[in-house]
Amino acid sequence: MTPEEEAKSAAQYELDRQEFLNVNKIKEWKSIVTLLVFIAANLVVLFPFHISIPAPRFITEFIRRKLVDWRIIGATKEDKSSRHGTTQTPSPITWFRFPMNFVTAPLIADLFLLAIGAIGKKEVHDGTLGANDILPYDIMLFFITLAYIAISIDASGLIRYLAFKVLQLGGKVGHRLFFYLYAFFFVLGSFIGNDPIILSGTAFLAYMTRVSSNIVHPRAWIHTQFAVANIASAILVSSNPTNLVLAGAFKIKFIDYTAHMVVPTVATAIVLFPFLLYIVFANESLIPMSIKMHELPEEARRRKPVNPNIPNARGNAEEQENEHINDEQGKVLSLEEIMNPFLDKGGASFGGIIMAVTLITLLVANAIMSSKEGGLEVFYVTLPAAVIMLIWDIIFGWKHRKETREIARRGREEVAQFRREKEARRRAEQEADLNLLSRDDVAVTDSDSHDGEVRNRNGNIEKSLTRDEITTAAEKSSLPDEKRGSQESSKGRGEVREKGDVEKQKVDDMEDFGEPDPGPRTLGVALRDAHRWCQETFPTATAVMGHLPFALIPFAFTMFVLVQGLVTKGWVPVFAYGWDHWVEKTGTIGAIGGMGFLSVILCNFSGTNIGTTILLSRVVQAWLEIHNDPNSSGYISERTFWATIYAMAIGVNYGAFSTAFSASLAGLLWRDILERKHIHVRRLEFARVNLPIISIAMVVGLVVLIGEVYIIKSDTKPYIPGRQELH
């Protein structure tokens, strides 16, 4: 490049820098609306709800009937009832419940800003394809593909099996078992991230605490597991998408990131454990000295464990478990889940090798390519690895398809039979009650002239129903409707259901018990059958696909676009100037404390820890541009800059276990798994329990970080970022 071209490039860069740092744009109405929409979208993420939207029924019915005629969807129960003449006059208005959550709110916010012209093509481009070294598509592809490998390892049963071994090692000594599980989740989470730990570890602890007679509440175990999984995810760049955003935004080598984060993270884990055991959860009902567990019957011990990824693999065990939540039978079924775990040794071994090779390749390739122009797009490493893992899962599933299909068929039949018997018992009870009530209203003339008659509460005489009569009624009610009707007709009672009611009940029964509808085959039925075929033929691959956090993709892209709107409208430079004033007043220690506090708070109010990382990374990039003026006398020291970056890394990882479930997508997943296991954690309880945990974790992590940067970073050497294209 000639001197003239260099001078021209420098002049253009300076113009772009001044435009980028122009804060006068915040006075425009579009800038104000952009900020308000950003705040509103994040509040909806924090407090999701549904909107009831009215629509004229004749329009919705017309569309629905067309879909039925085209065999896209099946006929509803109302349609079947109307054919039998049993329908009621519907309301002229149909109400739809539209969800407002972390997927829909940012998307609607982006569409609204596009509609009013507050953002445009530039913001959408930079928020999807990337700007300022943050590449959203690279981050999402990397995270989804690496998540497939990690969740496939989890689907092999490895995590539950290892947790079972830890449970055996810890024995029934409560404090020792608490420590072993704590260390196990931390070590494993350091390598494979927090999502697989939450997927399997949460369910494991729910079962374990349920079958322990002297653990009154699982609070200590589940909150500790959630906290330590998120602490561990701070060590490797690959463990959390927030780490990848940081590493990309500031061109941090993966090995350098891990070298700086491992000491504060390990120190946090070491100090936090006694704090949890002896202060936060210092209660014998939460962590008893000796854990009393129910014993698994010998028959269940000898039973071959089944792959939980196969639909209905446990037969009617899950149905019985839900029916017997608090009794002995339910606890035995739960105990079998943890004491007789399934393990696919081949899948676990192959997945572990693929994960290890992928992580090592990432570290080496990143170290080599980071010094070159453009660096390395990390999904080039993880995508082939995920494809190899997927091919393995598909081949393994196809090879064992006969066995898995047979297991699914038997389980489906057991579930259907269990539901039929349950329904028969319910109908028997109802009919017996109706018979008793009808007998109560039958008046007789003389109590002495009839054997077994008693007076009812109205003073009339009634005939008491004997135990044999009740049993007979129950037996008759368990028969199919046609047989019971013919049986009653033969006795001359003449009480047979109307034909329409019988046909409607038969259709309802087939829907309830999973039997095929005699109606025409529709696209919806075909897709349902195809999904079930995939579950039975490729159980591992289908289960992993079902657990992948695909909802993260639209959320992340729309949040990138929203933050880019704040950049172009002048708000990010305003925040950067505010941060610059804070650092000038407080120095390196203030930068660490301030960024740690901000990152944790914003995780709860800025669209999860991913949205927080995107926003704060843009703010720090603008802060660097403020001091990139050649005429400026001030500079940012290496110590202060790296202290700010790694304080943010600690905050956005630890902030996941702060005051709101929506502080991270892992928190939403954790809550949903617990609810499926009949453990309900309220918002206030989540915040109350986590407040002391996040406080001690942040204090320890940031104090250790202060010591680290004062030892290895210079305060006199300025940090000089590479010149980058400004957006």
Side-chain angles (χ1 to χ4, degrees), residues 643-670:
T644 300
I645 297 303
Y646 291 116
M648 188 197 309
I650 291 174
V652 295
N653 280 279
Y654 292 12
F657 56 93
S658 48
T659 60
F661 294 112
S662 59
S664 69
L665 297 182
L668 300 174
L669 175 65
W670 180 79

Side-chain angles (χ1 to χ4, degrees), residues 77-78 80-82 84 86-87 481 497-511:
K77 290 185 178 182
E78 286 75 13
K80 297 166 187 174
S81 299
S82 64
H84 304 308
T86 59
T87 187
D481 293 332
R497 289 174 180 242
E498 293 182 5
K499 183 178 180 181
D501 290 342
V502 174
E503 292 179 357
K504 178 178 181 298
Q505 186 62 45
K506 287 164 62 180
V507 170
D508 291 348
D509 288 349
M510 285 186 287
E511 291 179 353

